[in-house]
Short mmCIF file of all heavy atoms in Angstrom, two decimals:
data_model
loop_
_atom_site.label_atom_id
_atom_site.label_comp_id
_atom_site.label_asym_id
_atom_site.label_seq_id
_atom_site.Cartn_x
_atom_site.Cartn_y
_atom_site.Cartn_z
N CYS U 3 148.13 62.24 55.21
CA CYS U 3 147.61 61.33 56.21
C CYS U 3 147.17 60.05 55.53
O CYS U 3 147.44 58.88 55.98
CB CYS U 3 146.56 61.88 57.05
SG CYS U 3 147.24 63.14 58.21
N THR U 4 146.46 60.05 54.47
CA THR U 4 145.87 58.91 53.67
C THR U 4 147.09 58.05 53.24
O THR U 4 147.05 56.86 53.27
CB THR U 4 144.97 59.34 52.65
OG1 THR U 4 145.56 60.05 51.64
CG2 THR U 4 143.73 60.07 53.17
N GLN U 5 147.99 58.67 52.59
CA GLN U 5 149.28 58.05 52.14
C GLN U 5 149.94 57.21 53.23
O GLN U 5 150.24 56.08 53.02
CB GLN U 5 150.15 58.98 51.36
CG GLN U 5 149.52 59.53 50.08
CD GLN U 5 150.47 60.57 49.42
OE1 GLN U 5 151.11 61.41 50.10
NE2 GLN U 5 150.57 60.52 48.18
N LEU U 6 150.14 57.91 54.35
CA LEU U 6 150.87 57.31 55.47
C LEU U 6 149.99 56.12 56.09
O LEU U 6 150.59 55.12 56.43
CB LEU U 6 151.30 58.37 56.54
CG LEU U 6 152.28 59.38 56.18
CD1 LEU U 6 152.37 60.44 57.21
CD2 LEU U 6 153.62 58.84 55.86
N ALA U 7 148.75 56.35 56.17
CA ALA U 7 147.87 55.33 56.73
C ALA U 7 147.80 54.09 55.84
O ALA U 7 147.85 52.93 56.29
CB ALA U 7 146.50 55.92 56.98
N LYS U 8 147.76 54.34 54.48
CA LYS U 8 147.77 53.28 53.51
C LYS U 8 149.04 52.46 53.61
O LYS U 8 149.06 51.24 53.54
CB LYS U 8 147.60 53.85 52.22
CG LYS U 8 147.41 52.85 51.04
CD LYS U 8 146.19 52.07 51.02
CE LYS U 8 145.99 51.15 49.83
NZ LYS U 8 144.78 50.30 50.03
N ARG U 9 150.22 53.21 53.74
CA ARG U 9 151.55 52.58 53.84
C ARG U 9 151.67 51.71 55.10
O ARG U 9 152.18 50.69 55.04
CB ARG U 9 152.62 53.59 53.68
CG ARG U 9 153.98 53.07 53.42
CD ARG U 9 154.99 54.25 53.33
NE ARG U 9 154.51 55.28 52.43
CZ ARG U 9 154.93 56.39 52.36
NH1 ARG U 9 155.84 56.92 53.28
NH2 ARG U 9 154.54 57.30 51.44
N GLN U 10 151.06 52.25 56.23
CA GLN U 10 151.28 51.66 57.47
C GLN U 10 150.36 50.48 57.72
O GLN U 10 150.73 49.44 58.22
CB GLN U 10 151.04 52.63 58.64
CG GLN U 10 151.23 52.09 60.04
CD GLN U 10 151.26 53.20 61.09
OE1 GLN U 10 151.49 54.28 60.77
NE2 GLN U 10 150.80 52.82 62.32
N TRP U 11 149.02 50.65 57.35
CA TRP U 11 148.12 49.56 57.63
C TRP U 11 147.47 48.88 56.40
O TRP U 11 146.91 47.81 56.56
CB TRP U 11 146.86 50.29 58.27
CG TRP U 11 147.28 50.86 59.71
CD1 TRP U 11 148.05 50.33 60.66
CD2 TRP U 11 146.83 52.11 60.16
NE1 TRP U 11 148.14 51.16 61.73
CE2 TRP U 11 147.44 52.31 61.47
CE3 TRP U 11 146.05 53.19 59.73
CZ2 TRP U 11 147.22 53.44 62.21
CZ3 TRP U 11 145.82 54.25 60.48
CH2 TRP U 11 146.37 54.40 61.81
N GLY U 12 147.62 49.45 55.26
CA GLY U 12 146.93 48.86 54.05
C GLY U 12 145.51 49.42 54.08
O GLY U 12 145.26 50.41 53.38
N ASN U 13 144.64 48.63 54.64
CA ASN U 13 143.28 49.12 54.85
C ASN U 13 143.15 49.93 56.11
O ASN U 13 143.72 49.60 57.15
CB ASN U 13 142.32 47.91 54.86
CG ASN U 13 142.31 47.18 53.59
OD1 ASN U 13 142.46 47.74 52.51
ND2 ASN U 13 142.26 45.93 53.65
N TYR U 14 142.37 51.03 55.97
CA TYR U 14 142.10 51.85 57.15
C TYR U 14 140.62 52.43 57.12
O TYR U 14 139.93 52.34 56.04
CB TYR U 14 143.14 53.06 57.27
CG TYR U 14 143.05 53.98 56.04
CD1 TYR U 14 142.31 55.10 56.11
CD2 TYR U 14 143.83 53.67 54.91
CE1 TYR U 14 142.27 55.94 55.04
CE2 TYR U 14 143.76 54.58 53.88
CZ TYR U 14 142.98 55.65 53.92
OH TYR U 14 142.97 56.49 52.80
N PHE U 15 140.19 53.07 58.20
CA PHE U 15 138.98 53.68 58.27
C PHE U 15 139.05 55.20 58.57
O PHE U 15 139.98 55.56 59.14
CB PHE U 15 138.09 52.91 59.28
CG PHE U 15 137.74 51.53 58.91
CD1 PHE U 15 138.50 50.49 59.38
CD2 PHE U 15 136.58 51.29 58.24
CE1 PHE U 15 138.34 49.25 59.06
CE2 PHE U 15 136.36 49.99 57.90
CZ PHE U 15 137.21 48.87 58.26
N VAL U 16 138.04 55.82 58.19
CA VAL U 16 137.98 57.34 58.40
C VAL U 16 136.74 57.74 59.23
O VAL U 16 135.62 57.22 59.07
CB VAL U 16 137.81 58.07 57.02
CG1 VAL U 16 137.80 59.59 57.28
CG2 VAL U 16 138.99 57.67 56.14
N LEU U 17 137.06 58.48 60.36
CA LEU U 17 135.99 59.15 61.04
C LEU U 17 135.89 60.56 60.70
O LEU U 17 136.77 61.39 60.89
CB LEU U 17 136.30 59.02 62.66
CG LEU U 17 135.35 59.82 63.56
CD1 LEU U 17 133.88 59.40 63.45
CD2 LEU U 17 135.84 59.70 65.01
N LYS U 18 134.72 60.97 60.08
CA LYS U 18 134.59 62.26 59.56
C LYS U 18 133.45 62.99 60.43
O LYS U 18 132.37 62.58 60.50
CB LYS U 18 134.27 62.36 58.19
CG LYS U 18 134.20 63.76 57.51
CD LYS U 18 133.94 63.72 56.00
CE LYS U 18 134.09 65.15 55.44
NZ LYS U 18 132.98 66.05 55.98
N CYS U 19 133.91 64.07 61.09
CA CYS U 19 132.95 64.68 62.05
C CYS U 19 132.67 66.14 61.64
O CYS U 19 133.49 66.83 61.14
CB CYS U 19 133.50 64.78 63.55
SG CYS U 19 133.80 63.02 64.22
N ASP U 20 131.50 66.56 62.00
CA ASP U 20 131.03 67.91 61.80
C ASP U 20 130.18 68.38 63.02
O ASP U 20 129.23 67.62 63.38
CB ASP U 20 130.16 68.01 60.39
CG ASP U 20 129.55 69.34 60.19
OD1 ASP U 20 130.37 70.35 60.38
OD2 ASP U 20 128.35 69.32 59.83
N ILE U 21 130.55 69.44 63.57
CA ILE U 21 129.84 69.98 64.69
C ILE U 21 128.56 70.70 64.21
O ILE U 21 128.54 71.53 63.37
CB ILE U 21 130.73 70.97 65.51
CG1 ILE U 21 131.91 70.15 66.11
CG2 ILE U 21 129.96 71.51 66.61
CD1 ILE U 21 132.91 71.01 66.68
N SER U 22 127.44 70.34 64.94
CA SER U 22 126.18 70.91 64.55
C SER U 22 126.05 72.37 64.93
O SER U 22 126.25 72.73 66.20
CB SER U 22 125.05 70.08 65.11
OG SER U 22 123.82 70.61 64.84
N LYS U 23 125.61 73.29 63.99
CA LYS U 23 125.38 74.68 64.28
C LYS U 23 126.50 75.22 65.21
O LYS U 23 126.22 75.85 66.33
CB LYS U 23 123.98 74.81 64.88
CG LYS U 23 122.92 74.36 64.03
CD LYS U 23 121.55 74.46 64.66
CE LYS U 23 120.41 73.95 63.74
NZ LYS U 23 119.12 73.95 64.45
N PHE U 24 127.73 75.18 64.78
CA PHE U 24 128.85 75.55 65.62
C PHE U 24 128.81 76.99 66.16
O PHE U 24 128.74 77.29 67.35
CB PHE U 24 130.21 75.17 64.93
CG PHE U 24 131.36 75.66 65.64
CD1 PHE U 24 131.60 75.31 66.99
CD2 PHE U 24 132.33 76.50 65.11
CE1 PHE U 24 132.68 75.70 67.67
CE2 PHE U 24 133.48 76.91 65.74
CZ PHE U 24 133.63 76.51 67.05
N PHE U 25 128.89 77.89 65.16
CA PHE U 25 128.89 79.33 65.58
C PHE U 25 127.73 79.72 66.44
O PHE U 25 128.00 80.42 67.44
CB PHE U 25 129.05 80.26 64.40
CG PHE U 25 130.39 80.40 63.80
CD1 PHE U 25 130.87 79.35 62.86
CD2 PHE U 25 131.35 81.27 64.05
CE1 PHE U 25 132.16 79.48 62.25
CE2 PHE U 25 132.53 81.47 63.60
CZ PHE U 25 132.94 80.43 62.70
N PRO U 26 126.51 79.34 66.21
CA PRO U 26 125.34 79.79 67.07
C PRO U 26 125.41 79.03 68.33
O PRO U 26 124.69 79.34 69.28
CB PRO U 26 124.13 79.30 66.23
CG PRO U 26 124.62 79.18 64.87
CD PRO U 26 126.04 78.74 64.89
N SER U 27 126.29 78.02 68.50
CA SER U 27 126.34 77.19 69.86
C SER U 27 127.39 77.47 70.70
O SER U 27 127.48 76.96 71.73
CB SER U 27 126.38 75.66 69.38
OG SER U 27 125.33 75.32 68.61
N VAL U 28 128.34 78.41 70.42
CA VAL U 28 129.48 78.76 71.17
C VAL U 28 128.98 79.41 72.44
O VAL U 28 128.36 80.50 72.52
CB VAL U 28 130.43 79.72 70.42
CG1 VAL U 28 131.54 80.20 71.39
CG2 VAL U 28 131.08 78.93 69.27
N ASN U 29 129.33 78.78 73.57
CA ASN U 29 128.95 79.34 74.92
C ASN U 29 129.88 80.37 75.38
O ASN U 29 131.12 80.10 75.41
CB ASN U 29 128.90 78.19 75.94
CG ASN U 29 128.52 78.67 77.33
OD1 ASN U 29 129.14 79.37 78.07
ND2 ASN U 29 127.28 78.15 77.71
N HIS U 30 129.38 81.59 75.69
CA HIS U 30 130.24 82.75 75.98
C HIS U 30 131.08 82.50 77.30
O HIS U 30 132.26 82.86 77.29
CB HIS U 30 129.33 84.04 76.15
CG HIS U 30 128.71 84.48 74.88
ND1 HIS U 30 128.04 85.58 74.81
CD2 HIS U 30 128.66 83.87 73.64
CE1 HIS U 30 127.57 85.81 73.54
NE2 HIS U 30 127.94 84.69 72.81
#
């Protein structure tokens, strides 16, 4: 993905997400 994004746009940005306390937060 980084190679394709670099080839398509030159400069690009990354959104990196992490879900807080995922396993303890799963609603049954």
Side-chain angles (χ1 to χ4, degrees):
C3 285
T4 61
Q5 292 177 318
L6 293 173
K8 182 72 174 176
R9 192 180 308 161
Q10 181 173 335
W11 296 316
N13 296 324
Y14 62 92
F15 294 89
V16 180
L17 169 59
K18 187 173 186 296
C19 299
D20 174 43
I21 296 174
S22 178
K23 299 177 181 178
F24 173 55
F25 279 86
S27 302
V28 171
N29 182 288
H30 293 188

